[in-house]
Amino acid sequence: MTILIFLLAGLAEIGGGYLIWQWLREGKSYYWGIFGGISLVLYGIIATFQTFMSFGRVYAAYGGIFIVLSVLWGWGIDRKTPDIYDWIGAGICLVGVGVMLFAPRQ
């Protein structure tokens, strides 16, 4: 469930940012901006469903997930193929997420 919530939050944030980018940078209708704003609000709400007690830890770990999703978004939506350094960097981020979320703590 943790991973699903991270994925949903990531898609809402990246999608919202993308829609606002399209509105302001690419000249799309203001509706794109409105839907982007709604998506960003949903991102903030979705992230609160994580079961981890620490806001900072959840958002720091989410940062690693966000990086991976951003690489995938760029590949799938913007058609920019990631290179080996993108994948290595994303993999390092996922290792960091695993350490932060699943390390044994007292």
Side-chain angles (χ1 to χ4, degrees):
M1 193 62 166
T2 297
I3 303 290
L4 178 62
I5 293 171
F6 274 128
L7 292 174
L8 290 174
L11 291 174
E13 184 179 10
I14 296 166
Y18 179 79
L19 291 171
I20 290 174
W21 177 283
Q22 292 296 309
W23 167 48
L24 293 175
R25 297 280 303 261
E26 305 297 330
K28 302 282 186 179
S29 166
Y30 70 92
Y31 288 111
W32 288 64
I34 291 171
F35 288 121
I38 291 168
S39 183
L40 290 170
V41 168
L42 287 174
Y43 148 70
I45 293 168
I46 292 166
T48 66
F49 292 111
Q50 287 293 359
T51 58
F52 298 98
M53 296 305 292
S54 168
F55 172 85
R57 187 173 294 143
V58 165
Y59 272 70
Y62 168 71
I65 302 293
F66 177 83
I67 290 168
V68 173
L69 289 175
S70 295
V71 170
L72 293 171
W73 185 280
W75 190 15
I77 302 298
D78 286 335
R79 303 287 184 225
K80 303 294 182 196
T81 303
D83 63 20
I84 187 68
Y85 301 106
D86 294 323
W87 291 121
I88 291 170
I92 290 169
C93 292
L94 284 181
V95 169
V97 167
V99 169
M100 289 173 17
L101 291 180
F102 304 116
R105 293 191 168 87
Q106 296 176 350

